[in-house]
Amino acid sequence: MRFLAITLIVHRPHPVTGVRPSTRDRFREVVGNALLAEELGFDGFGVGERHERPFLSSAPPVVLSHIAALTRRIRLFTAVTTLSLLDPVRAHEDYATLDHLSDGRLDLIIGKGNGSAQRDLFHVTPDDQWDRNAESYDVFRRIWRQDKVTADTRFRPALHEAEVWPRPYQRPVRVWHGSATSKESVELAARYGDPLFSANVTHPVEPYAALVDHYRERWAHHGHDPARLTVGAGSAGLYVARTSQEARATYRPVFEANLAFQKQTGLPVVFETLDDFVERSSALIGSPQQIVDKVHRYHERLGHTVQHVSADAGGLDDTRHRASLELFQAEVAPVLRKEIPDPPFPWAPVLPPPPAPEEPARA
């Protein structure tokens, strides 16, 4: 199993203290968390994309390029690239550049995104957002693979023998499809034979598992090799402590502050108590053995081989946040790496095979 640390760069007051950092300090925190993730042995670091309050993640290529310059090993993920809002030509230019700057450490997770404010900002409607996402991905995918592209598009000017530079480093970049609430992303992933990443954050596992089951059905329908099917999954929170009692006691103020924020802002409340949140959500809160057991329970339902956790402290102080991540890497990740298989592809740049050697001339 592989492990990612992911941030959406939420910028709101600290859930416990009520203090909101400056924008500059929040970005510095993100960069520091990326360096910590590499130091502790995480396999990837992801930055989301949102174009609305309270997020600062409107420019993931910029943030990831900065992180690429400061790291050497960790793979860099988008979580997710909102292709329904973007020009696929411009998206290719940004990410092909990042691909080179990171020496091929880039993976993309794409999706339509959500939120009415960002749809309004980009003049995207609920009626056309899925068509935009599918068209943008088709064009993006072709540009990445073909030196010249002709495409009769609906949502941007048509392309005719278009050349887009720079040409990418990876051939091709690996693209995951973010899955949260709809079968459209699942269908797109299955059609192209791409991996799926289940959000698996807001609700209990059942609705996410139903989408993963549908992905498996559509994967088989499209005739892809079942051995290549790949699923990743998110988690709603992380705090690992020596005992379950310590974990719950430390996390309780964070949960209660977040619950109050949800109620105050009118967000839907799914888990009313900490005990319910720990038991029925995807949050990984407890002792190392409890975390191992819970990931296994989710693996039985989702079959995922990549697990993401939050890169942010999320209301914990920095000392406890680091201690939790250290304990996760020391006593949780090694067990899960041994007991759950890796994805069915190398965790490395996707490069074309070397040319076959020429046969010697015959006498």
Side-chain angles (χ1 to χ4, degrees):
M1 177 169 258
R2 297 285 181 163
F3 299 96
L4 314 181
I6 286 181
T7 178
L8 296 178
I9 320 185
V10 177
H11 190 223
R12 65 178 180 90
H14 189 282
V16 178
T17 68
V19 176
R20 186 169 73 169
S22 69
T23 298
R24 174 180 176 274
D25 287 346
R26 184 69 181 98
F27 278 125
R28 285 182 174 272
E29 184 179 40
V30 169
V31 174
N33 285 336
L35 297 177
L36 178 62
E38 178 164 85
E39 174 192 339
L40 296 182
F42 280 88
D43 301 294
F45 187 86
V47 173
E49 180 176 344
R50 296 287 182 90
H51 299 268
E52 60 186 335
R53 189 192 304 265
F55 303 97
L56 299 178
S57 49
S58 58
V62 179
V63 178
L64 289 172
S65 290
H66 185 69
I67 292 170
L70 299 175
T71 57
R72 292 292 176 268
R73 176 197 57 80
I74 198 165
R75 288 195 68 78
L76 306 174
F77 281 71
T78 62
V80 301
T81 296
T82 53
L83 274 183
S84 65
L85 309 179
L86 305 179
D87 183 327
V89 174
R90 192 71 184 93
H92 174 276
E93 292 172 337
D94 285 343
Y95 285 113
T97 300
L98 172 55
D99 196 34
H100 282 280
L101 292 174
S102 66
D103 294 326
R105 287 188 282 142
L106 175 65
D107 273 50
L108 295 176
I109 307 175
I110 70 161
K112 71 165 181 63
N114 55 22
S116 59
Q118 63 182 10
R119 283 200 307 264
D120 293 344
L121 188 64
F122 288 89
H123 295 278
V124 173
T125 71
D127 293 332
D128 67 19
Q129 59 187 350
W130 286 111
D131 290 340
R132 286 177 179 272
N133 187 61
E135 178 183 285
S136 289
Y137 180 52
D138 177 69
V139 174
F140 179 93
R141 179 185 175 91
R142 290 165 62 188
I143 293 173
W144 202 280
R145 288 164 170 77
Q146 301 170 20
D147 292 336
K148 294 184 179 181
V149 173
T150 296
D152 184 16
T153 50
R154 288 176 55 199
F155 300 108
R156 59 145 289 127
L159 300 173
H160 180 71
E161 292 293 293
E163 295 180 281
V164 184
W165 296 93
R167 301 309 302 144
Y169 182 78
Q170 295 185 92
R171 298 295 182 96
V173 68
R174 183 174 298 109
V175 177
W176 306 65
H177 295 252
S179 168
T181 60
S182 175
K183 291 182 178 179
E184 280 84 352
S185 290
V186 169
E187 174 60 33
L188 201 63
R191 183 193 316 166
Y192 286 105
D194 293 332
L196 188 76
F197 214 107
S198 174
N200 190 42
V201 168
T202 308
H203 301 282
V205 69
E206 286 79 10
Y208 304 111
L211 289 171
V212 171
D213 290 344
H214 184 68
Y215 171 62
R216 295 179 185 279
E217 293 171 6
R218 298 304 295 170
W219 182 277
H221 170 81
H222 289 289
H224 301 302
D225 181 356
R228 289 182 53 247
L229 187 146
T230 308
V231 175
S235 63
L238 173 70
Y239 184 62
V240 192
R242 283 296 169 192
T243 67
S244 61
Q245 293 84 357
E246 178 187 350
R248 294 195 188 203
T250 300
Y251 201 83
R252 185 174 299 280
V254 177
F255 171 80
E256 291 177 348
N258 286 328
L259 180 64
F261 177 80
Q262 290 175 313
K263 292 180 177 179
Q264 178 185 355
T265 56
L267 294 172
V269 174
V270 179
F271 306 102
E272 290 277 1
T273 67
L274 175 62
D275 288 345
D276 191 33
F277 182 65
V278 170
E279 294 302 324
R280 292 198 307 123
S281 83
S282 61
L284 304 176
I285 298 167
S287 67
Q289 187 59 54
Q290 287 175 314
I291 304 304
V292 168
D293 292 343
K294 189 166 192 179
V295 173
H296 268 294
R297 291 201 305 273
Y298 269 74
H299 176 71
E300 289 174 4
R301 195 64 187 86
L302 300 175
H304 62 304
T305 54
V306 178
Q307 174 74 57
H308 95 46
V309 301
S310 175
D312 299 316
L316 301 169
D317 61 64
D318 291 342
T319 300
R320 282 174 167 157
H321 176 53
R322 182 183 181 106
S324 171
L325 293 177
E326 288 177 341
L327 190 54
F328 180 89
Q329 285 292 0
E331 298 191 19
V332 177
V335 176
L336 294 173
R337 290 185 194 280
K338 180 179 179 181
E339 296 177 348
I340 296 177
D342 278 351
F345 45 74
W347 201 260
V350 183
L351 300 176
E358 295 183 6
E359 293 185 8
R362 301 194 180 197

